């Protein structure tokens, strides 16, 4: 197969360069970690590992980021993780902040909501940012880290064609503009997207539900004065689709999304005159606009049965796919990376057994199931599947106009929040029953102001022992791990979020800022046992 | 609390007449929509998820 681009590039970020591996004479060169796919998830994986000092090679069959913004909504958790990687700020600076949403049915606004983000967090609930910019900021951070010595190697125009999966390594065949070569990886991370060639090479399943609907995306620039809000129409009076969405992006770009139904003539619908006809009906005759990017998408909600297959681990869309409603695709993929990075790091440096990686599989399948459930429910509300579901959907919309109780039933996408790893094996039992439920074992740590900055700035990357109103040692040894201690005063938001009715608390926090265990006081044997469990040794 | 399936409406005939009255003169479509709104309003009033689940089960069983 020739090495032709399958899509146009928005940014050329990793042009092809010949690697020394291509001229190796003593057999294929072996690398500890190879990442297949340079989308947002692959690049974030390389960044996470590289910042830990782990040599990582990333292979992508293109030389940069594809045209067209698929994802536009990036959630707080993603920004927190990006901040830990050192590239959160440029995303926020460029992104559009929004809090207000309006819901319309036919020609009526039925209600308005405000996300009312909780105070005392570094990051907003959401930003809107075109996916190519999100990816560009990640790659720019990789370049910066490389300059500081992070052993990351991004190889553009390196297409993976076949893999031979052995018990303790993987042999990878690659095609480049200079012809083929071979490398080996102790671990191969599959981040090659929803149609994952790797999955097919390994004959692995990807089961789920197909939704019989087509959505037309038009990203446009216009001078019109729409506010920075999310507007969603059910059965809009302008008849441009069964539903419609208007949402602001940076650089004066607007995302408009029309639900077209199942039986459509794709080619016909993508003709500029037909797209303009729909847009004119929606925006009115006097609005001038330019088309930036248009596309029609269908979607499926599905996941692999297992994300880990020996020395091959899948992450992002390759492992699971959701509908775009709720912005759970890239956002959940970044949580995969956050979960996998530290585990792979500790396995590679011998601190944790290989079985720790099975907890990646269990925890992120749990996350994927939650995302698939939420995104399927949104889709069922937006696209009723039967006459009676249509009746109930419209009954909810009718009632929502006059009665507050019906508004929480309206579902045009439940925006992405991270899952809690409830009941999963790395958690220790909750020894602080008076503590707030939101910081129970398995939960992601909520941010809170601390000194001149924020609590999360002090957590993450490694295991931390957090004492809230209880002094903990600056450092303790447990299970071959140097645990960093952080004692903070019990006041303000930290008290609300970490103490509740308890007088004091000690939290064991994982490198991905999830709670592994919590106790009312500094109990060293209990903490050692919890560290052992969190390293997958039990 | 469990789902109350004992007689609980003080004025059964009056209630029944009011229920039918609400549907009077409506097309089948409008009646179905009214029923849907009614179910949602009543369900919200009950609020208790376990009771609602019992109610779904009771309603489904009567059908069979
Ligand atoms: C319309 C739409 C709207 C969306 N909106 C949102 C949103 O608001 N928020 C959100 O979080 N998510 C959203 N998503 C989902 C989001 O776009 C995806 O979840 C995200 O792109 C997944 O990233 P990835 O890195 O896993 O895969 P991809 O971005 O698909 O990247 C895979 C990479 O692998 C490369 N590759 C493939 N085969 C090979 C090979 N053989 N060798 C080497 N490289 C290979 C590809 O070229 C590509 O660069 C949306 C999706 C759609 C379609």
């Amino acid at each position: 197969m020739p090495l032709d681009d399958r899509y146009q590039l928005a940014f050329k970020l990793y042009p092809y360069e010949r690697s020394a591996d291509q001229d190796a004479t003593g057999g294929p060169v072996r690398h500890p970690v190879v990442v297949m796919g340079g989308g947002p998830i692959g690049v974030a994986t390389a960044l996470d590992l590289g910042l830990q000092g782990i040599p990582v090679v990333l292979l992508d069959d293109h030389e940069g980021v594809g045209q067209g913004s698929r994802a536009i909504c990036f959630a707080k958790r993603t920004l927190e993780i990006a901040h830990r990687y050192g590239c959160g700020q440029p995303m926020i600076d460029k992104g559009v902040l929004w809090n207000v949403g309006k819901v319309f049915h036919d020609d009526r606004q039925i209600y308005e909501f405000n996300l009312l983000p909780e105070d005392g967090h570094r990051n907003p609930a959401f930003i809107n940012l075109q996916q190519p910019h999100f990816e560009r900021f990640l790659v720019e951070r990789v370049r910066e880290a490389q300059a500081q010595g992070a052993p990351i190697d991004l190889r553009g125009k390196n297409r993976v064609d076949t893999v031979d999966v052995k018990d303790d390594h993987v042999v990878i065949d690659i095609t480049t503009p200079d012809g083929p070569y071979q490398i080996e990886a102790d671990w191969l991370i599959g981040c090659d997207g929803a149609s994952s060639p790797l999955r097919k090479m390994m004959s692995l399943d990807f089961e789920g539900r197909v939704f019989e609907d087509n959505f037309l995306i038009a990203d446009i620039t216009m001078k019109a004065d729409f506010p920075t809000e999310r507007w969603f129409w059910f059965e809009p009076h302008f008849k441009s689709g069964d539903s419609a969405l208007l949402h602001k992006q940076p650089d004066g770009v607007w995302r408009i999304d029309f639900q077209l139904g199942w039986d459509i003539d794709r080619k016909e619908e993508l003709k500029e005159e037909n797209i303009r006809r729909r847009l004119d009906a929606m925006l009115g005759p006097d609005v001038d606009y330019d088309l930036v990017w248009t596309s029609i998408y269908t979607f499926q909600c599905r996941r692999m049965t297992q994300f880990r297959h020996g020395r091959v681990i899948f992450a992002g869309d390759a492992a699971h796919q959701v509908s775009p409603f709720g912005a759970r695709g890239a956002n959940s993929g970044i949580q995969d990376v956050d979960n996998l990075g530290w585990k792979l790091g500790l396995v590679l440096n011998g601190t944790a057994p290989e079985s720790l990686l099975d907890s990646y599989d269990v925890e992120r399948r749990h996350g994927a199931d939650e995302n698939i459930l939420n995104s399927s429910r949104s889709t069922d509300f937006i696209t009723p599947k039967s006459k009676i579901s249509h009746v109930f959907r419209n009954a909810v919309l009718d009632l929502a106009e006059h009665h507050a109780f019906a508004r929480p039933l309206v579902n045009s996408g439940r925006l992405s929040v991270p899952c809690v790893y409830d009941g999963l094996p790395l958690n220790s039992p909750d020894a602080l029953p008076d503590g707030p439920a939101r910081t129970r074992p398995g939960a992601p740590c909520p941010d809170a102001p601390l000194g001149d900055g924020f609590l999360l700035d002090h957590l993450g990357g490694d295991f931390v022992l957090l004492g809230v109103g209880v002094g903990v040692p600056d450092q303790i040894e447990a299970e071959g791990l140097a645990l960093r201690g952080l004692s903070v005063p019990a006041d303000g938001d930290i008290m609300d979020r970490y103490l509740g009715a308890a007088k004091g608390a000690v939290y064991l926090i994982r490198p991905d800022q999830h709670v592994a265990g919590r106790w009312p006081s500094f109990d060293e044997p209990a903490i050692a046992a919890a560290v052992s469990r969190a390293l997958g040794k039990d | 609390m469990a789902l109350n399936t004992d007689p609980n409406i003080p004025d059964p005939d009056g209630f029944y007449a009011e229920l039918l009255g609400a549907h009077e003169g409506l097309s089948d479509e409008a009646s179905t929509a009214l029923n849907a709104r009614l179910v949602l309003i009543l369900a919200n009033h009950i609020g208790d998820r376990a009771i609602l689940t019992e109610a779904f089960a009771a309603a489904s069983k009567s059908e069979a």
Side-chain angles (χ1 to χ4, degrees):
Chain A
M1 252 203 323
L3 192 56
D4 295 333
D5 276 0
R6 289 176 289 116
Y7 46 79
Q8 280 194 323
L9 297 190
F11 304 116
K12 192 167 180 172
L13 296 175
Y14 31 86
Y16 172 73
E17 277 173 56
R18 196 176 172 86
S19 148
D21 290 0
Q22 288 166 259
D23 303 311
T25 45
V29 176
R30 173 79 72 96
H31 296 276
V33 184
V34 171
V35 175
M36 174 173 173
I41 308 314
V43 173
T45 303
L47 184 56
D48 189 305
L49 296 170
L51 289 173
Q52 295 181 59
I54 296 165
V56 50
V57 174
L58 180 146
L59 307 170
D60 192 274
D61 59 347
H62 291 70
E63 295 183 296
V65 180
Q67 261 309 335
S69 173
R70 288 181 289 161
I72 59 166
C73 258
F74 293 91
K76 173 181 279 159
R77 186 64 199 141
T78 297
L79 297 171
E80 288 170 353
I81 295 166
H83 193 76
R84 183 161 78 73
Y85 295 153
C87 51
Q89 199 56 47
M91 294 173 181
I92 295 199
D93 292 345
K94 173 94 189 165
V96 169
L97 288 187
W98 62 277
N99 284 312
V100 173
K102 288 186 177 144
V103 180
F104 303 85
H105 186 200
D106 197 356
D107 57 353
R108 304 180 310 281
Q109 176 180 328
I110 55 176
Y111 70 98
E112 176 178 323
F113 62 86
N114 189 320
L115 295 175
L116 284 180
E118 188 181 59
D119 281 340
H121 292 248
R122 170 185 290 286
N123 290 293
F126 285 94
I127 58 166
N128 284 2
L129 179 69
Q130 293 91 333
Q131 181 165 338
H133 287 300
F134 181 80
E135 297 188 41
R136 177 170 64 83
F137 290 133
L138 284 169
V139 174
E140 284 172 1
R141 180 66 186 113
V142 166
R143 296 304 180 206
E144 197 179 272
Q146 283 173 326
Q148 293 156 356
I152 305 171
D153 184 354
L154 302 185
R155 298 187 188 170
K157 280 272 182 208
N158 273 243
R159 187 182 66 210
V160 175
D161 280 335
T162 55
V163 293
D164 185 2
V165 181
K166 312 276 191 200
D167 280 349
D168 64 347
H169 71 285
V170 183
V171 184
I172 304 165
D173 283 301
I174 302 164
T175 296
T176 73
D178 288 333
Y181 73 109
Q182 219 177 39
I183 56 174
E184 293 179 354
D186 290 336
W187 296 90
L188 174 64
I189 316 301
C191 305
D192 52 338
S195 52
S196 174
L198 181 60
R199 229 174 32 221
K200 287 177 199 126
M201 291 171 204
M202 295 175 66
S203 308
L204 297 170
D205 60 353
F206 200 43
E207 297 298 325
R209 197 171 146 200
V210 182
F211 288 85
E212 299 199 335
D213 216 329
N214 289 281
F215 287 79
L216 170 72
I217 297 183
D219 279 356
I220 63 172
T221 49
M222 60 174 169
K223 300 263 161 0
D225 233 3
F226 287 102
T228 304
E229 297 174 351
R230 178 186 198 263
W231 289 10
F232 194 96
W233 286 261
F234 293 97
E235 303 176 328
H237 61 98
F238 45 80
K239 308 277 182 234
S240 301
D242 297 329
S243 67
L245 172 74
L246 175 74
H247 218 177
K248 178 107 191 261
Q249 305 176 52
D251 306 325
V253 177
W254 297 83
R255 160 69 48 93
I256 293 173
D257 207 330
F258 296 123
Q259 181 186 352
L260 301 188
W262 187 231
D263 284 317
I264 60 158
D265 181 341
R266 223 182 138 86
K267 231 169 112 198
E268 197 58 27
E269 293 296 349
L270 275 170
K271 284 190 179 151
E272 176 158 349
E273 73 233 43
N274 288 326
I275 294 176
R276 284 192 174 268
R277 191 177 39 76
R278 291 182 189 273
L279 288 167
D280 292 345
M282 174 179 181
L283 301 170
D286 308 326
V287 175
D288 252 351
Y289 57 85
D290 293 312
L291 297 177
V292 177
W293 179 63
T294 57
S295 138
I296 287 183
Y297 66 93
T298 56
F299 53 78
Q300 319 205 338
C301 286
R302 50 187 182 168
R303 72 158 167 85
M304 298 179 72
T305 311
Q306 259 183 294
F307 297 173
R308 180 184 172 202
H309 293 267
R311 290 300 180 105
V312 182
I313 298 173
F314 289 84
D317 276 14
H320 44 73
Q321 198 186 1
V322 293
S323 84
F325 297 103
R328 288 164 182 270
N331 284 309
S332 69
I334 293 291
Q335 290 163 41
D336 291 347
V337 177
D338 194 31
N339 190 292
L340 179 60
W342 65 273
K343 293 177 179 173
L344 194 53
L346 290 176
V347 169
L348 281 167
N349 75 18
T351 309
E354 226 180 274
S355 58
L356 178 59
L357 293 166
D358 292 328
S359 76
Y360 164 79
D361 191 279
V362 172
E363 292 184 338
R364 293 315 300 162
R365 274 195 274 139
H366 174 80
D369 285 343
E370 188 173 301
N371 287 316
I372 287 171
L373 182 72
N374 275 293
S375 125
S376 303
R377 285 172 169 176
S378 302
T379 308
D380 286 339
F381 193 87
I382 294 166
T383 314
K385 298 297 176 303
S386 65
K387 215 165 149 190
I388 192 67
S389 65
H390 193 209
V391 167
F392 271 110
R393 200 279 304 273
N394 284 6
V396 167
L397 296 175
D398 288 343
L399 291 167
E401 193 173 346
H402 307 289
H403 302 290
F405 90 82
R407 290 172 199 160
L409 299 174
V410 175
N411 190 346
S412 67
R414 299 282 180 237
L415 294 168
S416 166
V417 287
C419 72
V420 177
Y421 300 128
D422 272 326
L424 299 185
L426 299 193
N427 301 341
S428 290
D430 192 357
L432 193 76
D434 294 345
R438 67 190 289 188
T439 38
R440 65 190 181 275
C445 288
D447 207 358
L450 178 63
D452 302 337
F454 287 88
L455 175 64
L456 291 190
D457 300 348
H458 302 270
L459 307 176
D462 48 13
F463 276 91
V464 176
L465 204 58
L466 173 70
V468 185
V470 176
V472 295
D474 290 343
Q475 186 145 340
I476 65 167
E477 287 285 325
E479 298 290 329
L481 207 72
L483 269 185
R484 187 157 58 82
L486 175 69
S487 306
V488 301
D491 55 27
D493 290 331
I494 291 194
M495 191 165 91
D496 289 346
R497 292 169 198 171
Y498 289 83
L499 279 189
K503 295 214 170 43
V506 174
Y507 281 80
L508 176 66
I509 294 168
R510 312 185 337 183
D512 56 5
Q513 301 173 332
H514 277 256
V515 175
R518 59 179 186 177
W519 303 268
S521 59
F522 177 67
D523 177 345
E524 206 164 342
I527 289 162
V531 170
S532 166
R533 190 169 300 124
L535 292 177
K537 292 186 179 176
D538 292 9
Chain B
M1 223 173 50
L3 179 71
N4 185 355
T5 52
D6 294 330
N8 194 34
I9 300 175
D11 162 30
D13 293 347
F15 156 74
Y16 196 71
E18 197 175 339
L19 176 63
L20 295 192
H23 285 274
E24 214 163 272
L26 297 187
S27 64
D28 284 356
E29 206 175 321
S31 259
T32 310
L34 177 91
N35 276 341
R37 289 194 297 273
L38 203 54
V39 167
L40 293 167
I41 290 168
L42 297 175
N44 180 66
H45 184 83
I46 292 166
D48 186 318
R49 281 294 285 110
I51 292 192
L52 291 171
T53 299
E54 273 190 74
F56 289 133
S60 301
K61 214 187 277 158
S62 300
E63 175 81 10

